[in-house]
């Protein structure tokens, strides 16, 4: 992918066995060195948040993420410090609230508390994956309305609701629109029913 880019780890970026306990993100750092904490333009302040875990203290399903306060606090602080009047966007792998698309797979530890803390710090758009489905929903949260955009899987055949897809988000002066590119007939093309969004 061309630069600049901001990449956050997901549950499949953690080793299955070796290094899972001692160095869960060592290989992620090796193959994607020097990842920035945030990316900014005149219209957007985008910050990455690591919701993946090597060990999940809540149980053996380590694919479910966690968003403890010690990870959330520095992200919220940077968002509050640098966002200004721009659209505040947080990107992570796991949903931070229970999601109607998959109530079982969207149980992220400390997720609701993280969602509220980031919303209060200025997050107006949350980007995540993990559920292998495309969706958009908006809720009233501390600080204002927050819209949550879930991306389908783009490069995997683990399809759960329709073909592989990825999202394109176009931001202009605080307003944003969401387009979905779906795999069809050997290439990606715009979704027949693209998901449009309201003002941020």
């Amino acid at each position: 992918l061309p630069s600049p880019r901001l990449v956050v780890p997901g549950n499949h970026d953690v080793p299955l066995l070796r290094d899972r306990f001692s160095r869960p993100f060592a290989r992620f750092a090796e193959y994607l060195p020097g990842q920035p904490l945030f990316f900014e333009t005149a219209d957007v302040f985008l910050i990455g948040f690591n919701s993946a875990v090597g060990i999940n203290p809540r149980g053996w399903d380590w694919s479910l993420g966690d968003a403890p306060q010690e990870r959330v606090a520095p992200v919220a602080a940077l968002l509050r410090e640098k966002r200004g009047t721009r659209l505040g966007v947080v990107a992570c792998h796991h949903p931070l609230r229970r999601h109607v698309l998959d109530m079982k797979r969207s149980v992220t530890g400390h997720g609701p508390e993280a969602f509220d803390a980031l919303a209060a710090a200025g997050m107006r758009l949350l980007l995540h994956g993990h559920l292998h489905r495309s969706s958009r929903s908006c809720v009233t949260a501390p600080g204002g309305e927050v819209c949550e955009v879930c991306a389908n899987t783009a490069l995997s055949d683990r399809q759960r609701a329709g073909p592989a897809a990825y999202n394109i988000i176009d931001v202009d002066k605080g307003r944003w629109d969401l387009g979905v590119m779906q795999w069809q007939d050997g290439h990606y093309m715009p979704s027949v029913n693209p998901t449009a969004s309201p003002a941020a």
Side-chain angles (χ1 to χ4, degrees):
L1 294 172
S3 293
R5 63 190 180 204
L6 187 150
V7 183
V8 294
N11 52 284
H12 286 288
D13 295 308
V14 177
L16 180 61
L17 294 174
R18 186 173 67 86
D19 295 333
R20 170 180 280 276
F21 302 99
S22 59
R23 302 186 310 146
F25 302 108
R27 279 189 272 179
F28 180 85
E30 177 185 349
Y31 285 97
L32 292 164
Q35 282 301 304
L37 295 174
F38 58 85
F39 170 76
E40 53 189 331
T41 71
D43 294 315
V44 176
F45 182 77
L46 166 66
I47 187 165
F49 175 70
N50 181 8
S51 60
V53 295
I55 302 172
N56 193 336
R58 298 181 301 122
W60 286 101
D61 189 349
W62 295 336
S63 68
L64 301 177
D66 198 14
Q69 196 274 338
E70 58 267 25
R71 287 191 187 180
V72 174
V75 173
L78 270 174
L79 188 60
R80 192 176 290 110
E81 174 190 349
K82 294 182 174 294
R83 179 182 67 93
T85 59
R86 296 175 291 181
L87 179 68
V89 184
V90 175
C92 58
H93 180 74
H94 297 85
L96 298 180
R97 312 183 295 129
R98 294 289 290 272
H99 205 295
V100 294
L101 288 176
D102 194 330
M103 297 296 282
K104 182 179 179 181
R105 305 297 302 159
S106 58
V107 186
T108 302
H110 306 96
E113 298 90 343
F115 186 92
D116 287 348
L118 293 169
M123 175 180 73
R124 293 296 167 262
L125 186 58
L126 172 66
L127 311 179
H128 70 82
H130 191 63
L131 304 181
H132 296 252
R133 297 169 175 89
S134 299
S135 76
R136 178 190 65 86
S137 60
C138 300
V139 298
T140 301
E145 185 181 64
V146 177
C147 293
E148 179 180 358
V149 174
C150 181
N152 202 334
T153 182
L155 300 173
S156 170
D157 59 5
R158 299 179 65 193
Q159 299 166 12
R160 298 177 185 170
Y166 64 89
N167 295 336
I168 296 178
I169 299 173
D170 185 29
V171 182
D172 183 30
K173 297 180 177 64
R175 298 182 62 88
W176 58 275
D177 290 306
L178 170 65
V180 179
M181 300 293 289
Q182 290 186 338
W183 183 258
Q184 185 174 334
D185 299 326
H187 63 278
Y188 285 104
M189 59 186 302
S191 172
V192 175
N193 296 307
T195 306
S197 73

